[in-house]
Amino acid sequence: MLNKIAYGALVAVFGMLIASEPTRAGSLDGKYRPAGEEYSGWDCKNIGSDGGALAIEGNVIFGVESACTLNNPVNVNGMNAVLYDAQCAGEGYEWSERVMLMETDRGVYNITDKFVAEWQRC
């Protein structure tokens, strides 16, 4: 049987391991549309089409006629956000970029170099 000190140390180490585990994109799974009055007509049904829905499913983000697979999640210290390496394809092109997803009260911020998109839940 573990003594109290050994048990306390074991619990502390286990707690740190859980706390350091990166949040996965899966916690943001769902359909979204861009925030703003001009996007109020987006149907939130047809994923990936112009005027349809944007989506996060597991480690994949579906944009308008594009999709990105999210790899190597890293929590951003002090923020409810995760930074990823994204492998993307769409409209005949392939590219790589860094993507940060940050949960908001209304949805998610999708942040890339020099660009922030606010997506609200459908």
Side-chain angles (χ1 to χ4, degrees), residues 11-24 72-79 81-83:
V11 168
V13 168
F14 184 67
M16 286 188 288
L17 288 172
I18 290 172
S20 66
E21 179 65 23
T23 303
R24 304 288 186 224
N72 306 318
V74 177
N75 282 333
V76 178
N77 289 333
M79 300 171 69
V82 182
L83 184 62

Side-chain angles (χ1 to χ4, degrees), residues 1-77:
M1 186 158 152
L2 293 173
N3 66 34
K4 288 183 180 180
I5 294 173
Y7 180 74
L10 185 61
V11 168
V13 168
F14 184 67
M16 286 188 288
L17 288 172
I18 290 172
S20 66
E21 179 65 23
T23 303
R24 304 288 186 224
S27 66
L28 299 173
D29 278 3
K31 293 180 183 178
Y32 299 85
R33 65 177 175 81
E37 189 63 35
E38 64 271 27
Y39 301 106
S40 62
W42 283 43
D43 71 18
C44 288
K45 294 177 185 172
N46 300 308
I47 295 173
S49 64
D50 193 20
L54 309 167
I56 300 174
E57 293 179 3
N59 69 329
V60 179
I61 295 178
F62 296 93
V64 176
E65 298 181 17
S66 65
C68 296
T69 301
L70 304 174
N71 301 301
N72 306 318
V74 177
N75 282 333
V76 178
N77 289 333

Side-chain angles (χ1 to χ4, degrees), residues 82-103:
V82 182
L83 184 62
Y84 298 92
D85 294 322
Q87 298 297 315
C88 305
E91 297 184 346
Y93 296 97
E94 293 184 5
W95 66 97
S96 299
E97 63 184 348
R98 296 284 276 169
V99 174
M100 183 168 61
L101 298 180
M102 180 186 302
E103 189 172 3

